[in-house]
Every structure is written in C-alpha cells, then in structure tokens.
Amino acid sequence: MSRSPENILLRLPEAEEQSIRDVFARLEQRGFPRQQQTPHITVTFAPAMEPQVVACAAELLPAVIPSTLARVGTVVFGTKRKQTVAWLLEASDELEIAARSISAVNPAGRGPRWTPHLTMGLRLPRDIVPDYLRAMDELVSPHLKEFTAIRAEYFRPQSQESVLLAEAGMEARRSPA
C-alpha cells in the first residue's frame, strides 16, 4: 500500500465529527468496510509538502476560518477496482479562493483546483459502491447538510504530526501589527 500523503486539512467541531463517525458506525453495522479516517476536508496534499505551501496556507487560512461548507451532493472518485465515496461540498467564495491559491503553489498539486469534499467511504471495492450509496441515503439525516471548518492544520500522517495553521478566533487573538 502506498504511503499516505501529507495534507493541508480543515477540521470540524467534535459534534460534527461525531455525527459523521455515527454514520460510519451504522454503515459498518450493515456490513460495509469500517471507516477509520478522522472526518476532515483536504485543501491540498503531496507526498512531502513543500514549505512554501504550508506558509501560504498559514497566511491565507486564518482570514477564512471558521467557514461553513454546504453538502450539495455525493461523488465517487476513482475509476479502478477501489473507489472513494464522498460528500461534495460548496464553500464560500473566500474559502474557495484561498484553497485554490494554496493548491496553486503546491508543485505536487493539480494547479489552482479544489474539489471540496468529505470522504465517507475510503477505497471501497467498486462492486459495493451502489449499495453503499443507497445505505448512506437511508442512514443520513437530512439535517446533516452543513459543516463548519473551525481549524486548519498541516498534517503528516507518517509521524502523526499536526501543525495548527488557523483556528476559529485566531485572527481576533493576534495583536495588531
């Protein structure tokens, strides 16, 4: 299995993370593969994140955190035998612009592109994806339609190191220049 990439991530409040973990648990009770990832929204990733990407994120993200993202659909990523099911999210213009700017400076990235999403089923066997989608439709509350990015972090999965880049209220705590 390939090494997990380093990421610039947006984190959710504990209550929102728990709502998603509850969906994971109910899907597992129905016989689907266990989902162990911490719910998050990826801004950009790379095998090894370049320092200028982290610096750009630390500069741009404090102004847009906290930020509300709306669940606007479900997407399936991947074309091979393992696929990923995710909720497609819509961000504010300000967060979208910041995320695209950060992605643009990532040499390992896809240029100024960002597809905000929250992974609900990671590396699922392709043949179970239709049943997984149906189960999600049955299990997910229609009230679970917005998420709040309250923190931005640079995360290195290999060492489990996390560096705080932005947090709700961080801008207000800074002293004036």
Side-chain angles (χ1 to χ4, degrees):
M1 182 145 89
S2 64
R3 192 178 97 144
S4 293
E6 295 183 4
N7 299 269
I8 304 292
L9 304 174
L10 302 177
R11 298 282 190 195
L12 309 174
E14 181 56 39
E16 291 180 16
E17 282 189 10
Q18 190 56 53
S19 294
I20 294 163
R21 282 193 287 272
D22 290 346
V23 173
F24 291 164
R26 291 194 303 268
L27 286 163
E28 186 179 2
Q29 287 168 353
R30 289 201 178 185
F32 292 105
R34 182 175 191 199
Q35 298 299 305
Q36 299 182 65
Q37 68 271 19
T38 299
H40 67 274
I41 301 156
T42 301
V43 173
T44 193
F45 60 92
M49 195 67 66
E50 296 290 333
Q52 73 267 19
V53 182
V54 179
C56 181
E59 178 186 330
L60 297 178
L61 291 174
V64 296
I65 300 296
S67 191
T68 301
L69 296 98
R71 180 166 61 103
V72 295
T74 305
V75 294
V76 178
F77 294 112
T79 57
K80 300 194 174 158
R81 60 182 192 84
K82 295 282 185 174
Q83 297 183 331
T84 295
V85 171
W87 283 333
L88 184 63
L89 304 174
E90 188 173 85
S92 67
D93 290 345
E94 295 81 10
L95 178 56
E96 179 90 22
I97 290 165
R100 286 175 178 263
S101 298
I102 295 162
S103 186
V105 299
N106 181 0
R110 302 177 324 139
R113 291 181 189 84
W114 185 46
T115 306
H117 65 278
L118 207 156
T119 299
M120 294 303 295
L122 188 60
R123 295 184 198 99
L124 299 170
R126 180 185 199 142
D127 59 331
I128 71 165
V129 168
D131 292 333
Y132 198 87
L133 291 169
R134 271 190 293 282
M136 279 180 48
D137 285 346
E138 293 168 12
L139 294 170
V140 175
S141 165
H143 303 291
L144 190 58
K145 54 185 165 194
E146 281 191 346
F147 302 98
T148 307
I150 60 162
R151 244 178 4 267
E153 299 175 359
Y154 164 42
F155 182 63
R156 300 175 70 191
Q158 296 311 112
S159 64
Q160 293 294 298
E161 177 190 1
S162 180
V163 177
L164 180 67
L165 302 173
E167 187 170 38
M170 188 182 251
E171 210 47 60
R173 288 196 306 265
R174 290 187 176 159
S175 55

